[in-house]
Tab-separated table of all heavy atoms in Angstrom:
chain	number	residue	atom	x	y	z
A	89	GLU	N	0.836	-1.203	0.000
A	89	GLU	CA	0.001	-0.002	-0.001
A	89	GLU	C	0.868	1.252	-0.002
A	89	GLU	O	0.553	2.234	-0.679
A	89	GLU	CB	-0.921	0.010	1.216
A	89	GLU	CG	-2.053	-0.987	1.140
A	89	GLU	CD	-2.936	-0.974	2.379
A	89	GLU	OE1	-2.773	-0.091	3.244
A	89	GLU	OE2	-3.797	-1.863	2.472
A	90	ALA	N	1.957	1.232	0.748
A	90	ALA	CA	2.871	2.383	0.765
A	90	ALA	C	3.432	2.623	-0.627
A	90	ALA	O	3.502	3.769	-1.088
A	90	ALA	CB	3.996	2.156	1.772
A	91	PHE	N	3.832	1.546	-1.327
A	91	PHE	CA	4.348	1.686	-2.690
A	91	PHE	C	3.304	2.327	-3.588
A	91	PHE	O	3.622	3.199	-4.405
A	91	PHE	CB	4.737	0.322	-3.277
A	91	PHE	CG	5.867	-0.367	-2.580
A	91	PHE	CD1	5.982	-1.740	-2.645
A	91	PHE	CD2	6.834	0.333	-1.860
A	91	PHE	CE1	7.023	-2.402	-2.013
A	91	PHE	CE2	7.879	-0.318	-1.226
A	91	PHE	CZ	7.969	-1.686	-1.299
A	92	ASP	N	2.051	1.887	-3.465
A	92	ASP	CA	0.975	2.452	-4.287
A	92	ASP	C	0.833	3.952	-4.051
A	92	ASP	O	0.762	4.735	-4.997
A	92	ASP	CB	-0.351	1.748	-4.005
A	92	ASP	CG	-0.378	0.310	-4.508
A	92	ASP	OD1	0.481	-0.066	-5.337
A	92	ASP	OD2	-1.258	-0.448	-4.045
A	93	PHE	N	0.785	4.357	-2.785
A	93	PHE	CA	0.663	5.779	-2.464
A	93	PHE	C	1.867	6.560	-2.982
A	93	PHE	O	1.720	7.627	-3.582
A	93	PHE	CB	0.521	5.998	-0.951
A	93	PHE	CG	-0.859	5.761	-0.424
A	93	PHE	CD1	-1.120	4.690	0.409
A	93	PHE	CD2	-1.906	6.615	-0.740
A	93	PHE	CE1	-2.391	4.461	0.918
A	93	PHE	CE2	-3.178	6.401	-0.241
A	93	PHE	CZ	-3.420	5.317	0.590
A	94	LEU	N	3.075	6.043	-2.752
A	94	LEU	CA	4.297	6.758	-3.140
A	94	LEU	C	4.472	6.836	-4.652
A	94	LEU	O	5.124	7.753	-5.146
A	94	LEU	CB	5.519	6.094	-2.503
A	94	LEU	CG	5.629	6.263	-0.988
A	94	LEU	CD1	6.652	5.290	-0.410
A	94	LEU	CD2	5.984	7.697	-0.623
A	95	SER	N	3.882	5.903	-5.381
A	95	SER	CA	3.999	5.955	-6.839
A	95	SER	C	2.973	6.888	-7.472
A	95	SER	O	3.109	7.260	-8.633
A	95	SER	CB	3.893	4.549	-7.435
A	95	SER	OG	2.607	4.018	-7.211
A	96	CYS	N	1.955	7.283	-6.697
A	96	CYS	CA	0.883	8.128	-7.237
A	96	CYS	C	0.931	9.568	-6.757
A	96	CYS	O	0.231	10.415	-7.311
A	96	CYS	CB	-0.472	7.542	-6.866
A	96	CYS	SG	-0.800	5.949	-7.623
A	97	ALA	N	1.699	9.856	-5.724
A	97	ALA	CA	1.695	11.201	-5.158
A	97	ALA	C	3.061	11.517	-4.546
A	97	ALA	O	3.830	10.616	-4.243
A	97	ALA	CB	0.613	11.325	-4.090
A	98	ILE	N	3.306	12.792	-4.387
A	98	ILE	CA	4.530	13.250	-3.724
A	98	ILE	C	4.172	13.603	-2.287
A	98	ILE	O	3.249	14.391	-2.049
A	98	ILE	CB	5.139	14.460	-4.452
A	98	ILE	CG1	5.596	14.052	-5.854
A	98	ILE	CG2	6.300	15.046	-3.650
A	98	ILE	CD1	6.070	15.190	-6.708
A	99	TYR	N	4.881	13.002	-1.356
A	99	TYR	CA	4.671	13.262	0.068
A	99	TYR	C	5.856	14.044	0.616
A	99	TYR	O	6.994	13.812	0.218
A	99	TYR	CB	4.512	11.944	0.843
A	99	TYR	CG	3.212	11.255	0.525
A	99	TYR	CD1	3.115	10.374	-0.547
A	99	TYR	CD2	2.072	11.518	1.261
A	99	TYR	CE1	1.909	9.768	-0.868
A	99	TYR	CE2	0.857	10.912	0.951
A	99	TYR	CZ	0.789	10.041	-0.116
A	99	TYR	OH	-0.401	9.453	-0.428
A	100	ASP	N	5.572	14.938	1.539
A	100	ASP	CA	6.637	15.705	2.188
A	100	ASP	C	7.288	14.898	3.299
A	100	ASP	O	8.501	14.982	3.509
A	100	ASP	CB	6.053	16.999	2.779
A	100	ASP	CG	5.401	17.846	1.712
A	100	ASP	OD1	6.129	18.358	0.853
A	100	ASP	OD2	4.165	17.969	1.734
A	101	VAL	N	6.477	14.127	4.009
A	101	VAL	CA	6.938	13.354	5.166
A	101	VAL	C	6.276	11.986	5.143
A	101	VAL	O	5.106	11.860	4.766
A	101	VAL	CB	6.574	14.071	6.496
A	101	VAL	CG1	6.939	13.227	7.710
A	101	VAL	CG2	7.236	15.431	6.576
A	102	MET	N	7.030	10.974	5.564
A	102	MET	CA	6.472	9.644	5.761
A	102	MET	C	6.806	9.194	7.172
A	102	MET	O	7.963	9.272	7.593
A	102	MET	CB	7.048	8.643	4.766
A	102	MET	CG	6.515	7.235	4.973
A	102	MET	SD	7.144	6.043	3.780
A	102	MET	CE	8.876	6.033	4.187
A	103	LEU	N	5.775	8.761	7.911
A	103	LEU	CA	5.979	8.158	9.222
A	103	LEU	C	5.990	6.657	8.998
A	103	LEU	O	5.048	6.106	8.425
A	103	LEU	CB	4.852	8.531	10.174
A	103	LEU	CG	4.549	10.013	10.339
A	103	LEU	CD1	3.430	10.213	11.343
A	103	LEU	CD2	5.785	10.766	10.763
A	104	LEU	N	7.048	5.984	9.435
A	104	LEU	CA	7.218	4.565	9.128
A	104	LEU	C	7.465	3.753	10.384
A	104	LEU	O	8.435	3.982	11.105
A	104	LEU	CB	8.405	4.390	8.169
A	104	LEU	CG	8.760	2.957	7.784
A	104	LEU	CD1	7.624	2.300	6.997
A	104	LEU	CD2	10.058	2.938	6.984
A	105	ASP	N	6.561	2.797	10.628
A	105	ASP	CA	6.781	1.808	11.678
A	105	ASP	C	7.799	0.808	11.123
A	105	ASP	O	7.633	0.312	10.010
A	105	ASP	CB	5.469	1.095	12.009
A	105	ASP	CG	5.631	0.002	13.050
A	105	ASP	OD1	6.660	-0.021	13.759
A	105	ASP	OD2	4.729	-0.833	13.161
A	106	VAL	N	8.856	0.528	11.878
A	106	VAL	CA	9.891	-0.366	11.357
A	106	VAL	C	9.681	-1.818	11.774
A	106	VAL	O	10.407	-2.688	11.313
A	106	VAL	CB	11.313	0.101	11.742
A	106	VAL	CG1	11.660	1.370	11.000
A	106	VAL	CG2	11.456	0.260	13.232
A	107	VAL	N	8.699	-2.084	12.628
A	107	VAL	CA	8.400	-3.469	12.991
A	107	VAL	C	7.108	-3.853	12.271
A	107	VAL	O	6.011	-3.615	12.756
A	107	VAL	CB	8.263	-3.644	14.517
A	107	VAL	CG1	7.926	-5.092	14.857
A	107	VAL	CG2	9.541	-3.213	15.216
A	108	MET	N	7.303	-4.417	11.062
A	108	MET	CA	6.180	-4.829	10.237
A	108	MET	C	6.459	-6.250	9.750
A	108	MET	O	7.612	-6.677	9.716
A	108	MET	CB	6.001	-3.873	9.049
A	108	MET	CG	5.557	-2.481	9.479
A	108	MET	SD	5.464	-1.288	8.132
A	108	MET	CE	4.316	-2.037	7.018
A	109	PRO	N	5.428	-6.998	9.380
A	109	PRO	CA	5.637	-8.372	8.907
A	109	PRO	C	6.611	-8.448	7.738
A	109	PRO	O	6.649	-7.567	6.884
A	109	PRO	CB	4.233	-8.815	8.472
A	109	PRO	CG	3.304	-7.928	9.236
A	109	PRO	CD	4.026	-6.615	9.393
A	110	ARG	N	7.403	-9.483	7.737
A	110	ARG	CA	8.355	-9.792	6.648
A	110	ARG	C	9.329	-8.651	6.365
A	110	ARG	O	9.720	-8.432	5.222
A	110	ARG	CB	7.608	-10.194	5.378
A	110	ARG	CG	6.775	-11.452	5.554
A	110	ARG	CD	5.984	-11.810	4.318
A	110	ARG	NE	5.027	-10.807	3.887
A	110	ARG	CZ	3.832	-10.604	4.431
A	110	ARG	NH1	3.434	-11.323	5.435
A	110	ARG	NH2	3.033	-9.670	3.965
A	111	ASN	N	9.734	-7.913	7.404
A	111	ASN	CA	10.687	-6.808	7.252
A	111	ASN	C	10.263	-5.816	6.171
A	111	ASN	O	11.094	-5.256	5.459
A	111	ASN	CB	12.092	-7.336	6.946
A	111	ASN	CG	12.698	-8.033	8.130
A	111	ASN	OD1	12.439	-7.658	9.272
A	111	ASN	ND2	13.491	-9.048	7.878
A	112	ALA	N	8.977	-5.594	6.040
A	112	ALA	CA	8.438	-4.715	4.994
A	112	ALA	C	8.975	-3.298	5.088
A	112	ALA	O	9.092	-2.613	4.075
A	112	ALA	CB	6.918	-4.708	5.048
A	113	SER	N	9.316	-2.845	6.284
A	113	SER	CA	9.820	-1.480	6.418
A	113	SER	C	11.131	-1.292	5.663
A	113	SER	O	11.386	-0.223	5.114
A	113	SER	CB	9.999	-1.116	7.883
A	113	SER	OG	10.903	-2.010	8.507
A	114	ILE	N	11.943	-2.330	5.596
A	114	ILE	CA	13.194	-2.246	4.824
A	114	ILE	C	12.872	-2.055	3.349
A	114	ILE	O	13.535	-1.279	2.654
A	114	ILE	CB	14.064	-3.495	5.062
A	114	ILE	CG1	14.532	-3.507	6.521
A	114	ILE	CG2	15.231	-3.551	4.098
A	114	ILE	CD1	15.201	-4.774	6.968
A	115	ASP	N	11.852	-2.741	2.857
A	115	ASP	CA	11.426	-2.574	1.464
A	115	ASP	C	10.992	-1.136	1.191
A	115	ASP	O	11.306	-0.569	0.148
A	115	ASP	CB	10.284	-3.528	1.124
A	115	ASP	CG	10.687	-4.989	1.228
A	115	ASP	OD1	11.880	-5.292	1.073
A	115	ASP	OD2	9.798	-5.823	1.468
A	116	VAL	N	10.267	-0.557	2.133
A	116	VAL	CA	9.810	0.821	1.956
A	116	VAL	C	10.995	1.783	1.951
A	116	VAL	O	11.094	2.664	1.098
A	116	VAL	CB	8.788	1.219	3.053
A	116	VAL	CG1	8.409	2.688	2.939
A	116	VAL	CG2	7.547	0.330	2.977
A	117	LEU	N	11.928	1.606	2.886
A	117	LEU	CA	13.114	2.474	2.923
A	117	LEU	C	13.932	2.342	1.636
A	117	LEU	O	14.444	3.335	1.121
A	117	LEU	CB	13.979	2.137	4.136
A	117	LEU	CG	13.428	2.578	5.485
A	117	LEU	CD1	14.213	1.949	6.627
A	117	LEU	CD2	13.418	4.093	5.602
A	118	THR	N	14.043	1.143	1.111
A	118	THR	CA	14.772	0.918	-0.138
A	118	THR	C	14.076	1.613	-1.295
A	118	THR	O	14.725	2.229	-2.148
A	118	THR	CB	14.902	-0.588	-0.419
A	118	THR	OG1	15.598	-1.197	0.668
A	118	THR	CG2	15.656	-0.850	-1.707
A	119	MET	N	12.755	1.575	-1.319
A	119	MET	CA	12.000	2.210	-2.397
A	119	MET	C	12.233	3.712	-2.427
A	119	MET	O	12.273	4.319	-3.497
A	119	MET	CB	10.512	1.929	-2.249
A	119	MET	CG	9.700	2.534	-3.372
A	119	MET	SD	7.964	2.648	-2.957
A	119	MET	CE	7.321	3.284	-4.487
A	120	LEU	N	12.407	4.318	-1.261
A	120	LEU	CA	12.600	5.763	-1.205
A	120	LEU	C	13.803	6.212	-2.031
A	120	LEU	O	13.797	7.290	-2.613
A	120	LEU	CB	12.770	6.229	0.241
A	120	LEU	CG	11.569	6.080	1.155
A	120	LEU	CD1	11.901	6.620	2.545
A	120	LEU	CD2	10.351	6.771	0.586
A	121	ARG	N	14.829	5.381	-2.069
A	121	ARG	CA	16.045	5.735	-2.828
A	121	ARG	C	15.767	5.906	-4.312
A	121	ARG	O	16.463	6.640	-4.990
A	121	ARG	CB	17.125	4.677	-2.631
A	121	ARG	CG	17.675	4.661	-1.249
A	121	ARG	CD	18.851	3.710	-1.162
A	121	ARG	NE	18.776	3.040	0.118
A	121	ARG	CZ	19.063	1.789	0.340
A	121	ARG	NH1	19.476	1.022	-0.644
A	121	ARG	NH2	18.955	1.275	1.532
A	122	GLY	N	14.743	5.229	-4.830
A	122	GLY	CA	14.437	5.304	-6.248
A	122	GLY	C	13.468	6.400	-6.640
A	122	GLY	O	13.189	6.588	-7.822
A	123	LEU	N	12.967	7.140	-5.667
A	123	LEU	CA	11.994	8.192	-5.961
A	123	LEU	C	12.696	9.490	-6.352
A	123	LEU	O	13.707	9.853	-5.761
A	123	LEU	CB	11.094	8.449	-4.753
A	123	LEU	CG	10.184	7.312	-4.319
A	123	LEU	CD1	9.446	7.698	-3.052
A	123	LEU	CD2	9.202	6.953	-5.429
A	124	ALA	N	12.114	10.193	-7.302
A	124	ALA	CA	12.661	11.495	-7.702
A	124	ALA	C	12.554	12.506	-6.562
A	124	ALA	O	13.445	13.327	-6.357
A	124	ALA	CB	11.935	12.011	-8.943
């Protein structure tokens, strides 16, 4: 869901819980590197 939101809109701030199933927070942090 985070990927969907981040691919459709520009956010100024993201609040991220780092304890999520299957280390999903690492995936989200990695995705940030690829955003313009």
Side-chain angles (χ1 to χ4, degrees):
E89 288 179 8
F91 296 155
D92 291 344
F93 280 112
L94 290 165
S95 65
C96 295
I98 295 174
Y99 290 88
D100 301 292
V101 175
M102 178 178 65
L103 306 181
L104 178 64
D105 177 17
V106 291
V107 179
M108 293 175 58
R110 298 177 300 281
N111 291 327
S113 59
I114 293 170
D115 297 334
V116 175
L117 287 168
T118 301
M119 182 198 183
L120 294 181
R121 291 187 218 142
L123 295 176

